[in-house]
Amino acid sequence: MKLKAALIQMKVVEGKDLNLQTAEKMLRKSAKEGARLLVLPEMFNVPYDNSRFPEYAEGYPGKTTEFLKDMANELNVYIAGGSIPEQDRDRIYNTSYIFSPAGELIGKHRKAHLFDIDVEGGITFKESDVLSPGDESTIFDVDGVKMGLIICYDIRFPEFTRKLALQGAQAVLVPAAFNLVTGPAHWHLSARARALDNQVYMLLCSQSRNQESSYTAYGHSLMAGPWGDIDSELDIEEGILYVTIDTEKIEKVRNELPLLKHRREEIY
Ligand code: ACM
């Protein structure tokens, strides 16, 4: 089975409406090019900045989720809506909503591992000052392909992707926003490592680089394959990466190197 996906590396700016307009243009283009699964980046409707999350946050259903639902329905595609700040009572989550072509909500993932880091001379960020973590893993079906979804920093916890693989995920979507410190060091490595260990496709979708924002995203949206290779990737500018998930390739690699079958959980 083959599934064509589009990773939409959009530039995120101040102003929710402007970001929704950019997303709409790029979603329409991706659908026109024949992609069936359209993926947006982490925090695609808001600058990635703790000071902005509360004012942009919305409950469900809200302006952004209604937009995603209507787009999925009109364009007859699956949309993994990157992530947005979700308001739920007195808490804010970093949440991804996934809609089917019928406009049904088929998945929802709240980022489970919050990005609280302090790299000397590099970058400090503390999502937990404003955001709360989710407590669940997320898996859903896209035209018969089993798909997991995690958000950015979630990729750094191998057990989380492994759990999805053991639940049958063949591909894992990762809306993300690495930066100019962690990106060059760990972006490709994390994608390839999770892909190799689990023999799955890893689809990492970043915002494009915006030098005017307080947090500069790394870009380089990419897909890593079940062999641990980088299938294809973008550079730093706004653009769309079209990729093909091929489930036969997963089967081939898993037959050649039966890593998941050779695990010995009893001694770990
Ligand atoms: C991240 O979790 N946004 C790096």
Side-chain angles (χ1 to χ4, degrees):
M1 197 179 308
K2 288 194 166 76
L3 176 72
K4 183 169 175 177
L7 303 182
I8 296 178
Q9 181 166 291
M10 59 175 273
K11 183 172 174 181
V12 174
V13 297
E14 293 283 355
K16 189 185 284 189
D17 287 341
L18 283 178
N19 292 320
L20 294 191
Q21 281 165 25
T22 304
E24 176 171 355
K25 217 171 9 167
M26 296 179 84
L27 288 167
R28 287 190 183 282
K29 183 161 191 282
S30 307
K32 212 164 166 185
E33 294 293 327
R36 178 71 167 157
L37 167 66
L38 316 185
V39 186
L40 290 163
E42 181 180 25
M43 294 297 190
F44 77 92
N45 71 353
V46 53
Y48 187 74
D49 187 323
N50 271 345
S51 72
R52 298 292 186 282
F53 297 150
E55 69 184 269
Y56 282 69
E58 47 184 276
Y60 178 82
K63 182 174 194 165
T64 304
T65 55
E66 286 301 291
F67 159 77
L68 294 170
K69 171 189 164 158
D70 291 346
M71 281 283 111
N73 194 226
E74 182 194 328
L75 300 174
N76 192 35
V77 293
Y78 289 85
I79 296 181
S83 75
I84 63 172
E86 174 206 358
Q87 185 83 49
D88 185 8
R89 284 158 286 184
D90 61 343
R91 294 192 165 193
I92 303 173
Y93 298 91
N94 183 339
T95 303
S96 185
Y97 295 89
I98 304 107
F99 290 95
S100 75
E104 276 176 296
L105 182 67
I106 56 167
K108 171 178 172 177
H109 180 68
R110 287 174 168 167
K111 188 177 192 175
H113 303 86
L114 295 182
F115 183 51
D116 286 358
I117 63 153
D118 185 12
V119 181
E120 191 182 343
I123 180 158
T124 300
F125 204 100
K126 194 152 182 254
E127 277 190 322
S128 66
D129 279 345
V130 174
L131 302 178
S132 297
D135 295 323
E136 285 171 26
S137 61
T138 304
I139 198 159
F140 52 96
D141 191 281
V142 173
D143 286 348
V145 179
K146 270 210 166 185
M147 200 75 65
L149 188 145
I150 59 179
I151 298 176
C152 202
Y153 196 59
D154 283 336
I155 199 174
R156 292 184 178 272
F157 301 86
E159 298 90 341
F160 208 37
T161 302
R162 169 54 57 91
K163 180 177 176 194
L164 294 170
L166 294 179
Q167 287 174 327
Q170 296 162 301
V172 178
L173 307 180
V174 193
F178 273 38
N179 53 71
L180 301 190
V181 175
T182 60
H186 302 146
W187 176 257
H188 297 82
L189 180 60
S190 300
R192 295 185 63 195
R194 298 296 90 79
L196 172 66
D197 284 349
N198 298 294
Q199 303 178 308
V200 294
Y201 286 96
M202 298 293 295
L203 285 74
L204 277 57
C205 184
S206 171
Q207 302 176 6
S208 70
R209 205 166 288 183
N210 178 358
Q211 302 287 6
E212 283 140 42
S213 58
S214 65
Y215 180 96
T216 310
Y218 180 54
H220 290 275
S221 296
L222 60 78
M223 182 169 84
W227 187 250
D229 52 321
I230 299 290
D231 175 272
S232 49
E233 84 176 89
L234 294 177
D235 203 328
I236 63 175
E237 306 297 336
E238 196 166 71
I240 304 171
L241 182 67
Y242 296 100
V243 294
T244 301
I245 294 165
D246 180 354
T247 57
E248 279 176 24
K249 183 158 175 203
I250 298 171
E251 291 320 307
K252 181 170 185 293
V253 170
R254 287 183 179 182
N255 284 331
E256 290 169 349
L257 272 176
L259 302 183
L260 294 172
K261 279 196 197 134
H262 288 167
R263 294 168 60 246
R264 294 195 53 205
E265 267 195 284
E266 75 280 12
I267 60 167
Y268 302 151

